Amino acid sequence: MDISLRSLQAFVAVARHRSFSRAAGLLHRTQPGLTVQVRRLEEALGLRLLDRLPRGVEPTAAGAELARALEPLLRDVEHALEVARGTASRRAGTVRLAAVPSVASGLLPAAIALLQERHPTLQVRLQEAVTGRVQAMVRGDIVEIGIASQPEDSADLEAEPLFRDRMLAVMPQGHRLATGSVTLERVAAEPLLLMETDTSVDRLLSDAFAARRLPLVARQRAVHAATLINMACAGLGVALLPSTVAELQIAPELVTRRLSPDIVREVVVIRRAGRSYSPAAEALVAALRKSVPRGATGPTPESAGTPPRRAPQARREES
């Protein structure tokens, strides 16, 4: 049975308005075309649905019953199609997103503001989590996209570079590391304020220190950069943090120094392998790329060596 949506719409409109010409005008179709669609529906069903009268048409008993059943169904179909059109044109939709805390605080506020400026009805539902949890949420379809470091096991994930930043030593003014080259050997001798052990930042630092056979011993650990920054302000130690953390703006009394050698983190957008972005997610990723924070470089290898800009209000980063 070959029955099209257009033929159902044509029949219901004619049955409601008792007129082929009026129904054709409301549906923006030609009257001959509408007549053909209704006739094909009757042929497909093997049933007369409309009686053609000198002054219009009347539904048969079977036609009236069918029209009553179809009207709410067609309204639901029209609503579903309108929602889909709105999603496709980015007038509506929700993006479920997971991001590591250092990115959530530094990159997302500006990106979401830009997204809402361009597409006011799009919504973002954010969950903050460490890298491993971000990847697990993407794999489990809890979120559509994640922002974290490059996955180590990426067979079922796709990662697109977003930006690169570098690890900085963060300390009060006048600290002994504020002058001279801040080598990992000098840093290892300090009381260190580090991110939690299940974060990508800690894994990156652990690998760098292990490569030089140096201990990486934490005096204190925390999930959020603001906690470590406040500890550094209190003189509890030297914090090792990504250059893009927004919380560096709240502590202008701190000095940020590059490590020697550089320890670079690549932040990526993660989605399940083989999955396309929804229109809403595509719009969010575009906003993310335009909102790359201070202290970051672009994702391409050519730009990876470009010195990042310092965080606003922090003292100038020294080489």
Side-chain angles (χ1 to χ4, degrees):
M1 184 182 294
D2 184 14
I3 296 175
S4 69
L5 177 61
R6 288 176 65 85
S7 66
L8 294 176
Q9 291 170 327
F11 161 66
V12 169
V14 173
R16 183 188 303 132
H17 299 290
R18 305 297 199 269
S19 167
F20 276 94
S21 60
R22 187 175 181 189
L26 292 170
L27 293 176
H28 304 289
R29 303 180 196 175
T30 65
Q31 183 173 332
L34 202 72
T35 301
V36 169
Q37 289 162 359
V38 173
R39 184 180 299 120
R40 286 177 178 172
L41 176 62
E42 290 179 318
E43 292 171 354
L45 293 173
L47 187 67
R48 177 175 285 277
L49 301 175
L50 298 170
D51 285 330
R52 281 72 170 172
L53 304 175
R55 295 186 178 181
V57 295
E58 287 288 337
T60 63
E65 183 179 352
L66 180 61
R68 282 193 297 271
L70 285 175
E71 282 197 350
L73 297 177
L74 289 176
R75 283 196 296 269
D76 289 344
V77 169
E78 285 295 334
H79 175 71
L81 293 175
E82 182 59 30
V83 169
R85 293 185 193 104
T87 299
S89 63
R90 298 175 181 169
R91 295 196 307 269
T94 299
V95 189
R96 293 169 293 117
L97 166 71
V100 294
S102 61
V103 174
S105 64
L107 171 62
L108 282 175
I112 293 173
L114 179 60
L115 179 73
Q116 292 185 340
E117 178 184 330
R118 295 178 172 181
H119 309 286
T121 58
L122 293 185
Q123 300 293 320
V124 177
R125 296 288 179 263
L126 168 66
Q127 296 188 55
E128 290 186 71
V130 296
T131 288
R133 178 61 181 155
V134 169
Q135 295 171 11
M137 285 192 283
V138 175
R139 286 189 173 102
D141 272 338
I142 298 171
V143 297
E144 182 178 356
I145 58 176
I147 305 176
S149 294
Q150 178 74 37
E152 293 182 357
D153 177 14
S154 57
D156 57 346
L157 298 175
E158 292 181 6
E160 296 181 16
L162 184 59
F163 67 83
R164 292 180 176 184
D165 58 10
R166 53 163 50 94
M167 297 300 109
L168 300 178
V170 181
M171 68 208 76
Q173 297 181 31
H175 193 279
R176 53 184 161 269
L177 290 185
T179 59
S181 178
V182 184
T183 64
L184 298 192
E185 286 76 10
R186 293 182 69 193
V187 171
E190 298 292 332
L192 296 179
L193 308 172
L194 304 175
M195 305 294 283
E196 287 287 358
T197 54
D198 54 354
T199 61
S200 59
V201 170
D202 182 72
R203 185 165 58 248
L204 189 65
L205 290 169
S206 296
D207 290 347
F209 276 66
R212 299 174 79 89
R213 298 183 180 180
L214 295 170
L216 183 66
V217 180
R219 181 171 186 178
Q220 294 290 342
R221 289 186 180 272
V223 172
H224 294 283
T227 304
L228 299 180
I229 288 172
N230 286 329
M231 288 181 176
C233 287
L236 297 181
V238 174
L240 300 183
L241 294 169
S243 56
T244 53
V245 296
E247 290 83 358
L248 287 173
Q249 300 178 38
I250 68 176
E253 67 272 28
L254 292 177
V255 177
T256 61
R257 299 292 311 282
R258 298 179 187 176
L259 301 176
S260 178
D262 261 347
I263 301 175
V264 177
R265 175 180 71 158
E266 183 168 51
V267 175
V268 297
V269 179
I270 303 168
R271 57 177 162 169
R272 288 188 63 185
R275 296 289 184 89
S276 300
Y277 289 128
S278 68
E282 191 175 59
L284 175 59
V285 172
L288 288 167
R289 296 195 183 284
K290 287 187 174 295
S291 305
V292 170
R294 291 178 178 271
T297 61
T300 61
E302 291 80 2
S303 63
T306 304
R309 293 171 289 179
R310 63 180 177 87
Q313 297 185 29
R315 281 178 58 87
R316 187 162 183 260
E317 178 187 313
E318 300 176 19
S319 301

PDB file of all heavy atoms in Angstrom, residues 292-311:
ATOM      1  N   VAL A 292      38.542  30.608  22.218  1.00  0.00           N
ATOM      2  CA  VAL A 292      39.742  30.023  22.823  1.00  0.00           C
ATOM      3  C   VAL A 292      40.347  31.027  23.797  1.00  0.00           C
ATOM      4  O   VAL A 292      40.554  32.196  23.456  1.00  0.00           O
ATOM      5  CB  VAL A 292      40.761  29.627  21.735  1.00  0.00           C
ATOM      6  CG1 VAL A 292      42.098  29.254  22.353  1.00  0.00           C
ATOM      7  CG2 VAL A 292      40.217  28.460  20.923  1.00  0.00           C
ATOM      8  N   PRO A 293      40.617  30.617  25.037  1.00  0.00           N
ATOM      9  CA  PRO A 293      40.988  31.579  26.078  1.00  0.00           C
ATOM     10  C   PRO A 293      42.412  32.086  25.963  1.00  0.00           C
ATOM     11  O   PRO A 293      43.238  31.540  25.226  1.00  0.00           O
ATOM     12  CB  PRO A 293      40.818  30.759  27.368  1.00  0.00           C
ATOM     13  CG  PRO A 293      41.079  29.352  26.939  1.00  0.00           C
ATOM     14  CD  PRO A 293      40.525  29.244  25.543  1.00  0.00           C
ATOM     15  N   ARG A 294      42.665  33.144  26.711  1.00  0.00           N
ATOM     16  CA  ARG A 294      44.036  33.643  26.833  1.00  0.00           C
ATOM     17  C   ARG A 294      44.919  32.540  27.411  1.00  0.00           C
ATOM     18  O   ARG A 294      44.486  31.745  28.217  1.00  0.00           O
ATOM     19  CB  ARG A 294      44.086  34.863  27.754  1.00  0.00           C
ATOM     20  CG  ARG A 294      43.430  36.108  27.174  1.00  0.00           C
ATOM     21  CD  ARG A 294      43.486  37.246  28.175  1.00  0.00           C
ATOM     22  NE  ARG A 294      42.903  38.468  27.637  1.00  0.00           N
ATOM     23  CZ  ARG A 294      43.579  39.368  26.969  1.00  0.00           C
ATOM     24  NH1 ARG A 294      44.876  39.198  26.762  1.00  0.00           N
ATOM     25  NH2 ARG A 294      42.995  40.456  26.502  1.00  0.00           N
ATOM     26  N   GLY A 295      46.175  32.555  26.986  1.00  0.00           N
ATOM     27  CA  GLY A 295      47.095  31.528  27.460  1.00  0.00           C
ATOM     28  C   GLY A 295      47.080  30.291  26.594  1.00  0.00           C
ATOM     29  O   GLY A 295      47.706  29.299  26.935  1.00  0.00           O
ATOM     30  N   ALA A 296      46.345  30.328  25.470  1.00  0.00           N
ATOM     31  CA  ALA A 296      46.248  29.156  24.601  1.00  0.00           C
ATOM     32  C   ALA A 296      46.749  29.487  23.219  1.00  0.00           C
ATOM     33  O   ALA A 296      46.789  30.634  22.801  1.00  0.00           O
ATOM     34  CB  ALA A 296      44.798  28.689  24.518  1.00  0.00           C
ATOM     35  N   THR A 297      47.118  28.434  22.480  1.00  0.00           N
ATOM     36  CA  THR A 297      47.448  28.568  21.073  1.00  0.00           C
ATOM     37  C   THR A 297      46.467  27.733  20.294  1.00  0.00           C
ATOM     38  O   THR A 297      45.769  26.883  20.835  1.00  0.00           O
ATOM     39  CB  THR A 297      48.882  28.098  20.773  1.00  0.00           C
ATOM     40  OG1 THR A 297      49.002  26.712  21.122  1.00  0.00           O
ATOM     41  CG2 THR A 297      49.881  28.899  21.560  1.00  0.00           C
ATOM     42  N   GLY A 298      46.421  27.964  18.973  1.00  0.00           N
ATOM     43  CA  GLY A 298      45.516  27.206  18.119  1.00  0.00           C
ATOM     44  C   GLY A 298      45.900  25.748  18.060  1.00  0.00           C
ATOM     45  O   GLY A 298      46.979  25.344  18.502  1.00  0.00           O
ATOM     46  N   PRO A 299      45.038  24.923  17.473  1.00  0.00           N
ATOM     47  CA  PRO A 299      45.253  23.496  17.505  1.00  0.00           C
ATOM     48  C   PRO A 299      46.222  22.957  16.472  1.00  0.00           C
ATOM     49  O   PRO A 299      46.598  21.802  16.535  1.00  0.00           O
ATOM     50  CB  PRO A 299      43.857  22.935  17.217  1.00  0.00           C
ATOM     51  CG  PRO A 299      43.207  23.987  16.375  1.00  0.00           C
ATOM     52  CD  PRO A 299      43.757  25.296  16.881  1.00  0.00           C
ATOM     53  N   THR A 300      46.637  23.775  15.502  1.00  0.00           N
ATOM     54  CA  THR A 300      47.459  23.247  14.430  1.00  0.00           C
ATOM     55  C   THR A 300      48.913  23.153  14.868  1.00  0.00           C
ATOM     56  O   THR A 300      49.385  23.928  15.686  1.00  0.00           O
ATOM     57  CB  THR A 300      47.378  24.148  13.185  1.00  0.00           C
ATOM     58  OG1 THR A 300      47.871  25.449  13.520  1.00  0.00           O
ATOM     59  CG2 THR A 300      45.953  24.265  12.699  1.00  0.00           C
ATOM     60  N   PRO A 301      49.663  22.173  14.309  1.00  0.00           N
ATOM     61  CA  PRO A 301      51.074  22.057  14.659  1.00  0.00           C
ATOM     62  C   PRO A 301      51.851  23.333  14.399  1.00  0.00           C
ATOM     63  O   PRO A 301      52.781  23.661  15.128  1.00  0.00           O
ATOM     64  CB  PRO A 301      51.560  20.901  13.764  1.00  0.00           C
ATOM     65  CG  PRO A 301      50.332  20.117  13.450  1.00  0.00           C
ATOM     66  CD  PRO A 301      49.218  21.111  13.384  1.00  0.00           C
ATOM     67  N   GLU A 302      51.469  24.069  13.349  1.00  0.00           N
ATOM     68  CA  GLU A 302      52.209  25.280  13.025  1.00  0.00           C
ATOM     69  C   GLU A 302      52.106  26.316  14.140  1.00  0.00           C
ATOM     70  O   GLU A 302      53.029  27.101  14.361  1.00  0.00           O
ATOM     71  CB  GLU A 302      51.665  25.877  11.723  1.00  0.00           C
ATOM     72  CG  GLU A 302      51.965  25.054  10.488  1.00  0.00           C
ATOM     73  CD  GLU A 302      51.033  23.872  10.315  1.00  0.00           C
ATOM     74  OE1 GLU A 302      50.106  23.711  11.140  1.00  0.00           O
ATOM     75  OE2 GLU A 302      51.250  23.095   9.374  1.00  0.00           O
ATOM     76  N   SER A 303      50.959  26.318  14.842  1.00  0.00           N
ATOM     77  CA  SER A 303      50.778  27.339  15.874  1.00  0.00           C
ATOM     78  C   SER A 303      51.143  26.855  17.261  1.00  0.00           C
ATOM     79  O   SER A 303      51.093  27.613  18.210  1.00  0.00           O
ATOM     80  CB  SER A 303      49.313  27.807  15.885  1.00  0.00           C
ATOM     81  OG  SER A 303      48.453  26.741  16.224  1.00  0.00           O
ATOM     82  N   ALA A 304      51.523  25.570  17.367  1.00  0.00           N
ATOM     83  CA  ALA A 304      51.782  25.028  18.701  1.00  0.00           C
ATOM     84  C   ALA A 304      52.952  25.710  19.381  1.00  0.00           C
ATOM     85  O   ALA A 304      53.007  25.787  20.602  1.00  0.00           O
ATOM     86  CB  ALA A 304      52.041  23.525  18.608  1.00  0.00           C
ATOM     87  N   GLY A 305      53.909  26.212  18.603  1.00  0.00           N
ATOM     88  CA  GLY A 305      55.063  26.835  19.220  1.00  0.00           C
ATOM     89  C   GLY A 305      54.884  28.301  19.537  1.00  0.00           C
ATOM     90  O   GLY A 305      55.785  28.940  20.075  1.00  0.00           O
ATOM     91  N   THR A 306      53.729  28.864  19.205  1.00  0.00           N
ATOM     92  CA  THR A 306      53.499  30.280  19.462  1.00  0.00           C
ATOM     93  C   THR A 306      53.353  30.529  20.947  1.00  0.00           C
ATOM     94  O   THR A 306      52.572  29.862  21.609  1.00  0.00           O
ATOM     95  CB  THR A 306      52.219  30.749  18.754  1.00  0.00           C
ATOM     96  OG1 THR A 306      52.328  30.449  17.368  1.00  0.00           O
ATOM     97  CG2 THR A 306      51.994  32.226  18.960  1.00  0.00           C
ATOM     98  N   PRO A 307      54.106  31.468  21.535  1.00  0.00           N
ATOM     99  CA  PRO A 307      53.976  31.710  22.975  1.00  0.00           C
ATOM    100  C   PRO A 307      52.562  32.145  23.319  1.00  0.00           C
ATOM    101  O   PRO A 307      51.985  33.006  22.653  1.00  0.00           O
ATOM    102  CB  PRO A 307      54.973  32.854  23.227  1.00  0.00           C
ATOM    103  CG  PRO A 307      55.909  32.798  22.080  1.00  0.00           C
ATOM    104  CD  PRO A 307      55.118  32.306  20.910  1.00  0.00           C
ATOM    105  N   PRO A 308      51.954  31.538  24.326  1.00  0.00           N
ATOM    106  CA  PRO A 308      50.594  31.917  24.701  1.00  0.00           C
ATOM    107  C   PRO A 308      50.568  33.276  25.358  1.00  0.00           C
ATOM    108  O   PRO A 308      51.556  33.729  25.934  1.00  0.00           O
ATOM    109  CB  PRO A 308      50.176  30.830  25.699  1.00  0.00           C
ATOM    110  CG  PRO A 308      51.458  30.350  26.273  1.00  0.00           C
ATOM    111  CD  PRO A 308      52.475  30.464  25.185  1.00  0.00           C
ATOM    112  N   ARG A 309      49.395  33.916  25.265  1.00  0.00           N
ATOM    113  CA  ARG A 309      49.215  35.193  25.953  1.00  0.00           C
ATOM    114  C   ARG A 309      49.013  34.938  27.441  1.00  0.00           C
ATOM    115  O   ARG A 309      48.442  33.947  27.835  1.00  0.00           O
ATOM    116  CB  ARG A 309      48.006  35.924  25.367  1.00  0.00           C
ATOM    117  CG  ARG A 309      48.211  36.372  23.939  1.00  0.00           C
ATOM    118  CD  ARG A 309      46.934  36.877  23.353  1.00  0.00           C
ATOM    119  NE  ARG A 309      46.001  35.768  23.133  1.00  0.00           N
ATOM    120  CZ  ARG A 309      44.778  35.927  22.639  1.00  0.00           C
ATOM    121  NH1 ARG A 309      44.335  37.130  22.359  1.00  0.00           N
ATOM    122  NH2 ARG A 309      43.989  34.892  22.457  1.00  0.00           N
ATOM    123  N   ARG A 310      49.481  35.864  28.266  1.00  0.00           N
ATOM    124  CA  ARG A 310      49.334  35.687  29.709  1.00  0.00           C
ATOM    125  C   ARG A 310      47.885  35.882  30.115  1.00  0.00           C
ATOM    126  O   ARG A 310      47.111  36.536  29.429  1.00  0.00           O
ATOM    127  CB  ARG A 310      50.219  36.686  30.463  1.00  0.00           C
ATOM    128  CG  ARG A 310      49.850  38.140  30.230  1.00  0.00           C
ATOM    129  CD  ARG A 310      50.772  39.058  31.000  1.00  0.00           C
ATOM    130  NE  ARG A 310      50.475  40.460  30.731  1.00  0.00           N
ATOM    131  CZ  ARG A 310      49.572  41.161  31.387  1.00  0.00           C
ATOM    132  NH1 ARG A 310      48.856  40.600  32.343  1.00  0.00           N
ATOM    133  NH2 ARG A 310      49.362  42.422  31.091  1.00  0.00           N
ATOM    134  N   ALA A 311      47.546  35.337  31.270  1.00  0.00           N
ATOM    135  CA  ALA A 311      46.207  35.553  31.806  1.00  0.00           C
ATOM    136  C   ALA A 311      46.062  37.006  32.209  1.00  0.00           C
ATOM    137  O   ALA A 311      46.986  37.604  32.752  1.00  0.00           O
ATOM    138  CB  ALA A 311      45.990  34.667  33.033  1.00  0.00           C
TER     139      ALA A 311
END
